[in-house]
Amino acid sequence: MAGLQPVRGTHDLLGEDMRRHRKVAETARDIAARYCFEEIATPIFEFSEVFKRTLGDTSDIVTKEMYSFTDRGGDDVTLRPEGTAGVCRALISGGLAQRLPLKFFYYGPMFRYERPQKGRLRQFHQIGVENLGVAEPPADIDTIALGAAILDGLGVLAKTRLEINTLGDAESRSAYRAALVGYFQGHVGALSPDSRLRLERNPLRILDSKDEGDRKLVADAPLFTDFLNSESKEFFSQVTKGLERLGITFTINPRLVRGLDYYCHTAFEFTTEALGAQGAVLAGGRYDGLVATMGGPTVPAIGWAGGVERLAMLLAEAPPQPRPVAVVPIGPEAEAEAPLLAARLRKAGFAVELGYRGNVGKRMKAANKANARVALLLGEDEMKRGAATVRDLDTGEQSEVPLSDLNDRLARFR
RNA sequence: GCGGGUGUAGCUCAGUUGGUUAGAGCGCCAGAUUGUGGAUCUGGAUGUCGCCGGUUCAAGCCCGGUCACUCGCCCCA
């Protein structure tokens, strides 16, 4: 531990950053509510098993990237690296499968032990939704539309591109996988070392390799489209048509894939060029096999998650701080009265900055620094008349106002 | 986990071939101004030069290590 530093990959959120962050979370929450996705908050940590089952024990993720520890009772627990597993666990352990279909929205911190980069922290935040219990394309369309609506609500939709693909159903996918493995095994010498490993663990991932040589091979690789059965084709066609009808523009990216087996059909990502290598800002897909993998019933589902820090960086400008009313007492009697006046105004809904010390000049400076819209000067003269001097700090105009009229006179600054 | 770049005041940065007491702007504090902010003027405080070690008569500067940030790779549930 070197002095007092924040843990690597964590940081404090305050000021402008905090306002950006909160705007992302609140906009998402509001719009999700309009789509009737109910907010859910699951615990920040779960039994490690919850994440291990969904990811498979052998993956890098489980062995290298999770914050896992044994608690004092001897239980193996993990800080959640993502939100879906917790929601699915809640669905199973809470008996929510009886109430399907269900639509959930969540927001909160996630933890991954990764090398930090811009837009990638060890403690970061996600917004996300899970649309559970519906196997038909309208759920995919509505869920993607919600993502687009949130990006639009944040004013960042134009900075992103929606890419979409289908992974087909299990039958199509295993046929394609076999063909792909066959093809790459024939060119194994030309594959990058990374992709040779992928060939064994996660062959679909070779499709989105960034290696030049790999890309050349990928260009001639078998196409997923040729292995999709008619049901899968029809499903994808309905999803894309539905998006078109809503005026949501997208490009089909046949190299957009997911590694794990419980993913199927729709996969999509909203990406941006504005954030360097960390281009995905909101991504998801259909995961009909996940709940069953975790030991629950078969529950078809689709969802997505979005990175709050990345979205916050995309916001054109930080939301402004609310401009308060500053109460400036002059003299000991006014000093005693000022907190009462502030309390009345605060109860009436005003943001009130109450100066704690200093002469009038100091407090006016403080009011200015707090970006106050008006200052209420309360001195002996005003108190005798049951009034306060209202000074507009933008125009410099001021006039004395009876305390009883204050709420009305300040109404436009609320 | 792998590779590159960067660490000097709260912030943005300057600091010559290694040479005496480490600087600027912004911000901060005080005063000009004990019933009026912003502007101006005057004055003031900034600091383990990221940290540890080495080389040297002498290190902010050179070398090694380390920590953090950053860009990319891996990964991306």
mmCIF file of all heavy atoms in Angstrom, chain A residues 53 88-89 91-93 97 100 288-299:
data_model
loop_
_atom_site.group_PDB
_atom_site.id
_atom_site.type_symbol
_atom_site.label_atom_id
_atom_site.label_comp_id
_atom_site.label_asym_id
_atom_site.label_seq_id
_atom_site.Cartn_x
_atom_site.Cartn_y
_atom_site.Cartn_z
ATOM 1 N N ARG A 53 -21.216 -21.183 -12.609
ATOM 2 C CA ARG A 53 -22.088 -22.023 -13.417
ATOM 3 C C ARG A 53 -22.411 -21.389 -14.756
ATOM 4 O O ARG A 53 -22.565 -22.065 -15.751
ATOM 5 C CB ARG A 53 -23.409 -22.259 -12.675
ATOM 6 C CG ARG A 53 -23.313 -23.368 -11.681
ATOM 7 C CD ARG A 53 -24.681 -23.941 -11.440
ATOM 8 N NE ARG A 53 -24.780 -24.371 -10.050
ATOM 9 C CZ ARG A 53 -25.904 -24.785 -9.485
ATOM 10 N NH1 ARG A 53 -27.023 -24.790 -10.198
ATOM 11 N NH2 ARG A 53 -25.920 -25.163 -8.247
ATOM 12 N N CYS A 88 -31.061 -13.668 -12.671
ATOM 13 C CA CYS A 88 -31.522 -15.034 -12.922
ATOM 14 C C CYS A 88 -31.562 -15.843 -11.632
ATOM 15 O O CYS A 88 -32.474 -16.631 -11.405
ATOM 16 C CB CYS A 88 -30.628 -15.723 -13.956
ATOM 17 S SG CYS A 88 -30.818 -15.021 -15.591
ATOM 18 N N ARG A 89 -30.570 -15.634 -10.786
ATOM 19 C CA ARG A 89 -30.580 -16.306 -9.475
ATOM 20 C C ARG A 89 -31.796 -15.871 -8.675
ATOM 21 O O ARG A 89 -32.465 -16.687 -8.033
ATOM 22 C CB ARG A 89 -29.293 -15.986 -8.727
ATOM 23 C CG ARG A 89 -29.048 -16.798 -7.483
ATOM 24 C CD ARG A 89 -28.808 -15.876 -6.302
ATOM 25 N NE ARG A 89 -30.080 -15.345 -5.817
ATOM 26 C CZ ARG A 89 -30.313 -14.103 -5.492
ATOM 27 N NH1 ARG A 89 -29.398 -13.183 -5.610
ATOM 28 N NH2 ARG A 89 -31.499 -13.726 -5.069
ATOM 29 N N LEU A 91 -34.594 -14.873 -9.857
ATOM 30 C CA LEU A 91 -35.752 -15.479 -10.506
ATOM 31 C C LEU A 91 -35.971 -16.897 -9.984
ATOM 32 O O LEU A 91 -37.087 -17.301 -9.674
ATOM 33 C CB LEU A 91 -35.514 -15.513 -12.023
ATOM 34 C CG LEU A 91 -36.605 -16.151 -12.875
ATOM 35 C CD1 LEU A 91 -37.648 -15.122 -13.211
ATOM 36 C CD2 LEU A 91 -36.012 -16.732 -14.151
ATOM 37 N N ILE A 92 -34.871 -17.623 -9.853
ATOM 38 C CA ILE A 92 -34.961 -19.016 -9.403
ATOM 39 C C ILE A 92 -35.235 -19.079 -7.902
ATOM 40 O O ILE A 92 -36.195 -19.706 -7.450
ATOM 41 C CB ILE A 92 -33.651 -19.768 -9.728
ATOM 42 C CG1 ILE A 92 -33.420 -19.806 -11.243
ATOM 43 C CG2 ILE A 92 -33.692 -21.176 -9.152
ATOM 44 C CD1 ILE A 92 -32.016 -20.238 -11.652
ATOM 45 N N SER A 93 -34.417 -18.388 -7.113
ATOM 46 C CA SER A 93 -34.523 -18.552 -5.663
ATOM 47 C C SER A 93 -35.755 -17.848 -5.107
ATOM 48 O O SER A 93 -36.249 -18.207 -4.046
ATOM 49 C CB SER A 93 -33.257 -18.036 -4.973
ATOM 50 O OG SER A 93 -33.100 -16.656 -5.196
ATOM 51 N N ALA A 97 -40.410 -17.494 -11.245
ATOM 52 C CA ALA A 97 -40.775 -18.176 -12.479
ATOM 53 C C ALA A 97 -42.285 -18.376 -12.567
ATOM 54 O O ALA A 97 -42.836 -18.578 -13.646
ATOM 55 C CB ALA A 97 -40.044 -19.514 -12.572
ATOM 56 N N LEU A 100 -43.935 -15.230 -14.574
ATOM 57 C CA LEU A 100 -43.453 -14.829 -15.900
ATOM 58 C C LEU A 100 -44.611 -14.444 -16.818
ATOM 59 O O LEU A 100 -45.704 -14.957 -16.626
ATOM 60 C CB LEU A 100 -42.657 -15.981 -16.528
ATOM 61 C CG LEU A 100 -41.315 -16.273 -15.844
ATOM 62 C CD1 LEU A 100 -40.700 -17.550 -16.393
ATOM 63 C CD2 LEU A 100 -40.353 -15.104 -16.052
ATOM 64 N N ASP A 288 -31.582 -17.803 -24.084
ATOM 65 C CA ASP A 288 -32.654 -18.727 -23.711
ATOM 66 C C ASP A 288 -32.179 -19.875 -22.828
ATOM 67 O O ASP A 288 -32.975 -20.482 -22.124
ATOM 68 C CB ASP A 288 -33.304 -19.308 -24.979
ATOM 69 C CG ASP A 288 -34.122 -18.252 -25.727
ATOM 70 O OD1 ASP A 288 -34.326 -17.148 -25.170
ATOM 71 O OD2 ASP A 288 -34.537 -18.523 -26.866
ATOM 72 N N GLY A 289 -30.880 -20.171 -22.865
ATOM 73 C CA GLY A 289 -30.420 -21.339 -22.120
ATOM 74 C C GLY A 289 -29.853 -21.041 -20.742
ATOM 75 O O GLY A 289 -29.523 -21.963 -19.990
ATOM 76 N N LEU A 290 -29.772 -19.758 -20.362
ATOM 77 C CA LEU A 290 -29.021 -19.425 -19.148
ATOM 78 C C LEU A 290 -29.690 -19.903 -17.863
ATOM 79 O O LEU A 290 -29.048 -20.510 -17.001
ATOM 80 C CB LEU A 290 -28.784 -17.917 -19.081
ATOM 81 C CG LEU A 290 -28.057 -17.427 -17.825
ATOM 82 C CD1 LEU A 290 -26.703 -18.081 -17.689
ATOM 83 C CD2 LEU A 290 -27.905 -15.919 -17.848
ATOM 84 N N VAL A 291 -30.969 -19.621 -17.725
ATOM 85 C CA VAL A 291 -31.639 -19.959 -16.458
ATOM 86 C C VAL A 291 -31.591 -21.464 -16.219
ATOM 87 O O VAL A 291 -31.341 -21.923 -15.094
ATOM 88 C CB VAL A 291 -33.094 -19.433 -16.447
ATOM 89 C CG1 VAL A 291 -33.789 -19.823 -15.146
ATOM 90 C CG2 VAL A 291 -33.108 -17.913 -16.613
ATOM 91 N N ALA A 292 -31.768 -22.227 -17.266
ATOM 92 C CA ALA A 292 -31.688 -23.685 -17.127
ATOM 93 C C ALA A 292 -30.265 -24.104 -16.754
ATOM 94 O O ALA A 292 -30.070 -24.986 -15.915
ATOM 95 C CB ALA A 292 -32.132 -24.361 -18.428
ATOM 96 N N THR A 293 -29.277 -23.458 -17.338
ATOM 97 C CA THR A 293 -27.884 -23.756 -17.008
ATOM 98 C C THR A 293 -27.623 -23.548 -15.522
ATOM 99 O O THR A 293 -26.826 -24.243 -14.908
ATOM 100 C CB THR A 293 -26.935 -22.839 -17.812
ATOM 101 O OG1 THR A 293 -27.164 -23.063 -19.198
ATOM 102 C CG2 THR A 293 -25.484 -23.122 -17.480
ATOM 103 N N MET A 294 -28.334 -22.573 -14.947
ATOM 104 C CA MET A 294 -28.133 -22.277 -13.533
ATOM 105 C C MET A 294 -28.945 -23.186 -12.632
ATOM 106 O O MET A 294 -28.922 -23.031 -11.403
ATOM 107 C CB MET A 294 -28.511 -20.817 -13.263
ATOM 108 C CG MET A 294 -27.573 -19.836 -13.934
ATOM 109 S SD MET A 294 -28.068 -18.129 -13.684
ATOM 110 C CE MET A 294 -27.760 -17.943 -11.936
ATOM 111 N N GLY A 295 -29.722 -24.079 -13.225
ATOM 112 C CA GLY A 295 -30.482 -25.019 -12.411
ATOM 113 C C GLY A 295 -31.946 -24.666 -12.267
ATOM 114 O O GLY A 295 -32.664 -25.263 -11.472
ATOM 115 N N GLY A 296 -32.399 -23.699 -13.021
ATOM 116 C CA GLY A 296 -33.807 -23.313 -12.978
ATOM 117 C C GLY A 296 -34.569 -23.938 -14.124
ATOM 118 O O GLY A 296 -34.034 -24.777 -14.852
ATOM 119 N N PRO A 297 -35.821 -23.527 -14.279
ATOM 120 C CA PRO A 297 -36.614 -24.001 -15.411
ATOM 121 C C PRO A 297 -36.101 -23.370 -16.707
ATOM 122 O O PRO A 297 -35.273 -22.471 -16.672
ATOM 123 C CB PRO A 297 -38.024 -23.504 -15.091
ATOM 124 C CG PRO A 297 -37.819 -22.314 -14.220
ATOM 125 C CD PRO A 297 -36.567 -22.581 -13.431
ATOM 126 N N THR A 298 -36.591 -23.825 -17.816
ATOM 127 C CA THR A 298 -36.213 -23.201 -19.077
ATOM 128 C C THR A 298 -36.970 -21.886 -19.227
ATOM 129 O O THR A 298 -38.196 -21.875 -19.265
ATOM 130 C CB THR A 298 -36.546 -24.129 -20.258
ATOM 131 O OG1 THR A 298 -35.762 -25.313 -20.119
ATOM 132 C CG2 THR A 298 -36.224 -23.461 -21.578
ATOM 133 N N VAL A 299 -36.235 -20.815 -19.249
ATOM 134 C CA VAL A 299 -36.858 -19.487 -19.341
ATOM 135 C C VAL A 299 -36.199 -18.720 -20.483
ATOM 136 O O VAL A 299 -35.047 -18.317 -20.369
ATOM 137 C CB VAL A 299 -36.681 -18.691 -18.028
ATOM 138 C CG1 VAL A 299 -37.282 -17.303 -18.162
ATOM 139 C CG2 VAL A 299 -37.305 -19.424 -16.857
#
